[in-house]
Amino acid sequence: MRRHNAAFCGEHFVDHIRRQVQRTIDDFDMFDHDDSLLLGVSGGKDSLALWDVLTDLGYEVDGVNLELGIGPYSEDSTGYSRRFAHERGLRLLEVDLGRDYGFTIPVAAASTSRTACSACGLSKRYVLNHVARTHGYNVLVMGHNLDDEAATLFSNVTNWNIDYLARQHPVLQESDRGLARKVKPLIRVAERETAAYAVIRGIDYEIDECPMAAGNTLNQIKEHLNAMEHTSPGMKQRFLFGFLERGTPVFRGEPRPVLDACDVCGSPTTGDVCAFCKLRAATQRTESGEDDDG
Ligand code: Q46
Ligand code: ZN
């Protein structure tokens, strides 16, 4: 691991990853053993590695898998989540976007001006929050890694998305807004490291890339950041953690928008109808042959 100027055998690498996760949980005061934890599980390496680490650290964590309806890719991903949970006796809740909400991500992308990844991100945020709230979990755990967060930060800085910069933090205390606290304990671990961890621990995960990822700008940013990391080891970590230490206090001073209940579903939103209900309505109009208003 060039950024730590260190090399590990398999056993000590696993210990190292566990320590990095525990340190992140402690440093950011994310949760303790009394909290009721729900992890968003995708069948990919990050969420399954995190489930493994948290379980080994003694936390009781249930998972929730969202079936996105992206053909065989989604079916395979759900299969990996199910097998992981089954083999370890863990509880996995399942939501199927098509069955439970009447649309899939390909239909959502075709029905609106949103990209597939935008519709997907919105749906994941909404559904996972909804499941956490309705099943009484007070903490929603997400498997975003160092590469994900550094790329998101880079995108938010290049576009000067002040609102997003104010909210870019590994802990979002949202209980006053009717939402579970959202935490990201994997942000000290790079993507390559979660892959190595999964291999060492014998975790089977979805390796194929999502067929709708083409044009995903975060993936393009990740490639650029990796090129910089190659010549300047530790750059991604310095960029992200430097921001969390020195940038967050500046942007957090921005006032937060007032939230109201969505007229359709009752979820907290800044408008009359939340973005997810608008997306869902657009897919229904498409299915019934009416025009999309975007
Ligand atoms: S699943 Fe969804 Fe990703 Fe596929 S459509 Fe984009 S966001 S690429 S993590
Ligand atoms: Zn709504």
Side-chain angles (χ1 to χ4, degrees):
M1 296 175 70
R2 290 175 68 218
R3 70 197 168 91
H4 292 305
N5 203 16
F8 297 94
C9 65
E11 186 186 336
H12 288 115
F13 179 76
V14 168
D15 280 349
H16 168 77
I17 298 296
R18 283 188 192 134
R19 278 199 308 276
Q20 295 293 311
V21 171
Q22 185 66 66
R23 183 179 159 196
T24 309
I25 294 168
D26 294 342
D27 282 359
F28 290 98
D29 208 5
M30 290 185 167
F31 49 80
D32 57 35
H33 291 273
D34 296 331
D35 283 308
S36 170
L37 310 176
L38 179 67
L39 170 69
V41 179
S42 68
K45 59 187 181 322
D46 300 311
S47 53
L48 295 184
L50 182 56
W51 210 357
D52 189 71
V53 171
L54 292 176
T55 306
D56 279 346
L57 289 172
Y59 293 101
E60 225 176 90
V61 191
D62 293 344
V64 54
N65 183 83
L66 175 59
E67 159 72 58
L68 301 165
I70 308 177
Y73 169 77
S74 289
E75 288 157 24
D76 285 357
S77 302
T78 299
Y80 284 107
S81 300
R82 279 183 191 154
R83 274 192 296 281
F84 182 93
H86 181 72
E87 284 165 8
R88 289 161 176 79
L90 297 167
R91 182 175 187 223
L92 179 69
L93 308 177
E94 293 194 32
V95 181
D96 186 319
L97 214 45
R99 179 195 63 207
D100 301 330
Y101 291 96
F103 72 93
T104 61
I105 294 304
V107 169
S111 306
T112 65
S113 52
R114 284 180 184 272
T115 62
C117 291
S118 161
C120 186
L122 167 64
S123 302
K124 284 178 190 164
R125 280 191 299 280
Y126 178 90
V127 172
L128 299 195
N129 265 311
H130 185 73
V131 173
R133 217 162 29 124
T134 51
H135 286 76
Y137 295 95
N138 69 321
V139 181
L140 179 57
V141 187
M142 302 299 292
H144 296 86
N145 59 37
L146 172 62
D147 296 60
D148 296 324
E149 290 302 285
T152 302
L153 176 59
F154 192 89
S155 169
N156 287 339
V157 167
T158 46
N159 294 303
W160 288 116
N161 279 328
I162 303 294
D163 289 349
Y164 292 162
L165 286 169
R167 290 171 51 79
Q168 173 140 13
H169 196 266
V171 181
L172 285 178
Q173 286 287 3
E174 304 274 64
S175 51
D176 56 329
R177 299 159 84 88
L179 300 167
R181 184 191 323 152
K182 194 192 270 184
V183 300
K184 299 175 180 173
L186 211 52
I187 58 161
R188 229 182 268 278
V189 183
E191 200 158 299
R192 284 186 66 217
E193 294 159 10
T194 57
Y197 178 92
V199 170
I200 293 169
R201 293 284 293 158
I203 297 170
D204 252 349
Y205 62 88
E206 174 67 271
I207 298 173
D208 292 343
E209 194 167 312
C210 170
M212 307 204 79
N216 182 317
T217 48
L218 284 185
N219 285 347
Q220 292 164 10
I221 292 172
K222 280 182 188 176
E223 282 179 25
H224 292 299
L225 292 180
N226 279 338
M228 288 192 260
E229 178 81 18
H230 186 70
T231 51
S232 177
M235 171 266 166
K236 279 185 282 197
Q237 185 157 347
R238 287 193 302 278
F239 178 52
L240 178 62
F241 283 81
F243 170 78
L244 293 176
E245 205 180 304
R246 296 189 287 280
T248 301
V250 177
F251 291 102
R252 279 218 155 165
E254 294 289 314
R256 297 172 80 189
V258 177
L259 296 186
D260 223 331
C262 167
D263 287 350
V264 180
C265 73
S267 291
T269 178
T270 47
D272 295 335
V273 175
C274 76
F276 181 79
C277 286
K278 284 183 188 161
L279 178 71
R280 196 177 174 192
T283 62
Q284 286 162 354
R285 281 196 298 276
T286 302
E287 302 266 284
S288 64
E290 291 173 41
D291 282 345
D292 162 40
D293 64 5

